Amino acid sequence: MFAKAAKTFLRDVDAGGELIPVSSLNDSDKAQLLAMVVKKKRFWFWHKPKYEFSSCACLLGDVLTEEEPVKPVVVESEFVKYEEQCGDVIQGTVDADFVTVQGNIGGTEKIKSQSSFGTLRKQEVDMQHLMKDVQDRKINLHHPLIQQLHENKSDILCVLKEKIVTTQKCVISQQTQIAETCKLGTKAKTVKVSVTESGNFKDENTVLEIPAPTAIAYGVVELVVKQDGCFEFCLLSEKHGGFQKESSEKFLATYSGAHDARSLCDFDVVDGFRDVSVDGKPVPSKASLSVLNQDILELTKQFALLQELPDSLREELYNLLCDTLEDGQTVAQIQAVVEEICLGSKPDLTFLNELKLPQKEHAQKILSLVGYDLRDKTLTEQSKDLIAAFHILTSALDEMPDSALAILGACCKLDLLPALCALPNITSDEGLCSRTEPLLSDLIEEGTFQIVQRLFSLSNMSLEMNEKNMRAETFKDPGFLPLILYIALSGFHSLVKNLKF
């Protein structure tokens, strides 16, 4: 709940992505100014970097030569007063926070939500003073944290330079609501944040009270560390951190079970950058959906392995995955385990205990179905290729907004996958396709079309329809979201293709 509330807050106030949401209340305690933060590059090009605090709670002064603490000059200011109230009347459509699928059976659903962290303050390090303070000091290359980072060529050392903190006690509450419409039940979780002076919340399913001051977001500056320990701050956005080497040698990290050349990580050790993609570029702006065809084909080849599974196993895996789409946290936990497995590590499964019992059981069953032994923490030789293919699917799901995941689940239940997967292939270079196309017959009904339209909108694509044609094209600067959605759609379609329910 805390992580989702922090992400929602940043979506509203920091569209440029300069700030990083605090992922848990435990991390909030670690978010100290000048704390050392590790920026971890992910495997697939659509993955956002992952930021982790060091387990030893190191500050900048701890990893420098000369054991003297660094005392930053801190500038504190009012950041924003964050209060959001919204109400929606939904009929035959899907709301961003609560998914209500309504077809032609009538009725309306009124949704009201409130988010308030109250007045937030920014605490920021004066970078000019900091640079003068550490001007003649070096990174201690023998420090355990630095040695471990040096071994992992893709990790980047960062310093926490700013954070956003609450000034009042806040309550984060979560409600699970179910709507039975279109002959299917759609479940969604709404997270509300409010400033409070009391603790009376009888109507809430789950309540989390956070004290003030609690950090909910932070910003970092990357470091370039040279061979002799000298370092510099990356003050420009185009400047990347990393550990400098004598030559621009390349390191290849193979992806367990993947045989395609595109599934190799190519690391440049000077700045930690890696290019793992079809062409390394985001999806074009205002382009026909047909531009995705080649990339979808290249990135989903391994989904053939999912389709080769026995029908009973495919059906069970498909149904379990559909259920997990109701909860973004479950998707994230499964993805974290799968990624560790694929990178050859034995993942710590204790974090699955953060899930409630039904979600925890689903996650464990899913991992078992793709060949991972939960007791021995081993993967059978026969399952290496399968887990690699499954990783592509979970990696895409993990990058989708929670609201889009819930709508994707509704599309699965409405059997819209064949039509959605066919759309890029039958869309012209102008983004048009005839609404009389037989493959699209499931999409043109009013209630269904609005559901898909909302899914596309959350994935930075537009879908419009008139009397003759349907138009599908990307938004301006869509990033990777259109491709991410279609990777997810292709993965689910591979699981359910030719199955008879």
Side-chain angles (χ1 to χ4, degrees):
M1 291 194 299
F2 179 83
K4 185 172 182 179
K7 286 180 181 179
T8 301
F9 162 71
L10 288 188
R11 181 191 65 193
D12 293 337
V13 304
D14 186 44
E18 296 295 324
L19 294 172
I20 304 157
V22 175
S23 59
S24 69
L25 282 175
N26 186 48
D27 280 350
S28 181
D29 293 335
K30 298 176 183 176
Q32 303 298 320
L33 292 175
L34 298 190
M36 304 311 298
V37 181
V38 179
K39 179 182 178 181
K40 302 181 76 69
K41 295 278 187 170
R42 308 287 294 281
F43 188 83
W44 296 104
F45 64 94
W46 60 78
H47 266 149
K48 298 182 183 71
K50 184 177 181 180
Y51 293 86
E52 294 182 354
F53 293 96
S54 64
S55 58
C56 55
C58 288
L59 301 179
L60 177 61
D62 299 328
V63 299
L64 297 181
T65 55
E66 304 171 16
E67 296 181 0
E68 294 180 13
V70 178
K71 297 180 180 179
V73 173
V74 179
V75 179
E76 189 166 344
S77 60
E78 185 171 312
F79 182 64
V80 69
K81 186 173 183 179
Y82 181 70
E83 292 185 2
E84 177 192 39
Q85 290 187 349
C86 61
D88 296 289
V89 178
I90 305 168
Q91 192 165 15
T93 186
V94 179
D95 178 63
D97 296 317
F98 182 79
V99 181
T100 304
V101 184
Q102 285 193 250
N104 300 319
I105 53 178
T108 59
E109 188 89 26
K110 292 186 178 180
I111 309 300
K112 291 184 179 180
S113 65
Q114 176 180 329
S115 295
S116 174
F117 278 111
T119 300
L120 298 167
R121 295 191 68 80
K122 177 192 283 189
Q123 297 175 352
E124 191 172 10
V125 173
D126 184 325
M127 289 301 298
Q128 289 188 339
H129 184 276
L130 177 63
M131 287 187 290
K132 291 179 180 178
D133 200 19
V134 299
Q135 186 172 9
D136 298 322
R137 298 179 67 177
K138 296 181 179 182
I139 296 288
N140 177 9
L141 299 178
H142 298 292
H143 190 281
L145 174 63
I146 305 303
Q147 287 184 325
Q148 289 181 21
L149 287 177
H150 207 197
E151 292 172 2
N152 192 341
K153 309 299 190 236
S154 66
D155 290 348
I156 296 174
L157 190 64
C158 306
V159 175
L160 194 149
K161 65 173 183 175
E162 61 182 330
K163 62 178 179 176
I164 310 300
V165 299
T166 61
T167 60
Q168 297 165 280
K169 182 173 67 175
C170 299
V171 165
I172 301 175
S173 59
Q174 178 173 283
Q175 290 180 309
T176 301
Q177 304 181 40
I178 300 176
E180 283 288 345
T181 53
C182 278
K183 296 183 180 180
L184 74 120
T186 303
K187 183 188 297 182
K189 295 181 178 178
T190 57
V191 173
K192 301 179 183 181
V193 185
S194 58
V195 176
T196 182
E197 298 299 333
S198 65
N200 186 17
F201 297 93
K202 295 180 181 179
D203 297 329
E204 308 297 346
N205 294 90
T206 308
V207 172
L208 182 66
E209 187 174 280
I210 60 174
T214 294
I216 60 174
Y218 61 95
V220 299
V221 58
E222 298 181 12
L223 301 183
V224 172
V225 182
K226 300 180 180 179
Q227 288 180 286
D228 59 358
C230 291
F231 68 97
E232 59 184 46
F233 298 101
C234 299
L235 302 177
L236 299 176
S237 59
E238 60 267 23
K239 181 73 173 177
H240 299 283
F243 290 89
Q244 195 173 56
K245 292 293 181 180
E246 291 183 0
S247 62
S248 59
E249 58 180 311
K250 300 287 184 176
F251 289 81
L252 292 178
T254 57
Y255 179 41
S256 177
H259 304 300
D260 193 300
R262 298 186 186 278
S263 61
L264 295 178
C265 298
D266 196 8
F267 296 103
D268 185 332
V269 192
V270 175
D271 61 9
F273 175 76
R274 60 174 165 182
D275 179 16
V276 194
S277 66
V278 175
D279 60 11
K281 298 178 181 178
V283 176
S285 297
K286 297 290 185 179
S288 166
L289 203 60
S290 62
V291 300
L292 300 178
N293 278 327
Q294 186 60 38
D295 290 355
I296 295 170
L297 182 64
E298 291 292 338
L299 289 164
T300 61
K301 285 178 179 178
Q302 288 180 267
F303 287 163
L305 294 168
L306 300 177
Q307 197 171 338
E308 293 172 1
L309 292 171
D311 287 358
S312 59
L313 193 154
R314 270 203 295 152
E315 181 177 351
E316 185 177 8
L317 183 57
Y318 173 79
N319 288 330
L320 285 168
L321 282 173
C322 285
D323 289 341
T324 65
L325 296 179
E326 298 167 358
D327 183 11
Q329 184 186 10
T330 304
V331 172
Q333 302 290 45
I334 293 172
Q335 155 60 17
V337 174
V338 172
E339 186 157 307
E340 288 297 313
I341 295 170
C342 290
L343 294 174
S345 304
K346 286 191 176 182
D348 181 4
L349 299 178
T350 56
F351 67 82
L352 290 178
N353 294 328
E354 297 175 16
L355 302 175
K356 293 185 178 180
L357 188 58
Q359 289 78 23
K360 179 180 178 180
E361 291 176 347
H362 282 177
Q364 291 173 333
K365 185 63 176 176
I366 287 169
L367 292 170
S368 177
L369 289 173
V370 293
Y372 188 70
D373 190 316
L374 293 166
R375 291 183 179 179
D376 297 337
K377 295 185 179 181
T378 57
L379 186 70
T380 63
E381 188 68 29
Q382 295 82 1
S383 299
K384 287 186 176 180
D385 287 344
L386 176 61
I387 200 76
F390 190 62
H391 181 230
I392 300 172
L393 174 56
T394 58
S395 296
L397 294 175
D398 189 37
E399 291 297 309
M400 292 176 63
D402 285 357
S403 49
L405 287 175
I407 301 174
L408 173 60
C411 289
C412 290
K413 292 177 181 179
L414 292 170
D415 197 25
L416 300 180
L417 293 176
L420 288 170
C421 288
L423 195 54
N425 294 313
I426 60 177
T427 302
S428 70
D429 292 342
E430 291 73 36
L432 297 174
C433 55
S434 172
R435 62 176 292 171
T436 61
E437 167 63 52
L439 291 171
L440 300 182
S441 59
D442 291 335
L443 299 184
I444 62 176
E445 294 182 12
E446 183 178 354
T448 302
F449 180 79
Q450 289 176 326
I451 294 168
V452 175
Q453 192 177 44
R454 181 60 177 157
L455 177 63
F456 272 43
S457 176
L458 290 168
S459 302
N460 290 347
M461 293 181 286
S462 64
L463 187 67
E464 304 295 337
M465 184 169 61
N466 58 30
E467 294 180 356
K468 294 183 178 180
N469 298 313
M470 191 178 291
R471 177 184 290 276
E473 62 182 17
T474 63
F475 285 175
K476 182 181 179 181
D477 300 324
F480 294 113
L481 277 177
L483 185 57
I484 288 169
L485 172 62
Y486 264 91
I487 292 169
L489 289 169
S490 299
F492 275 88
H493 191 218
S494 296
L495 285 171
V496 77
K497 193 172 183 179
N498 299 326
L499 286 181
K500 295 180 180 180
F501 290 99

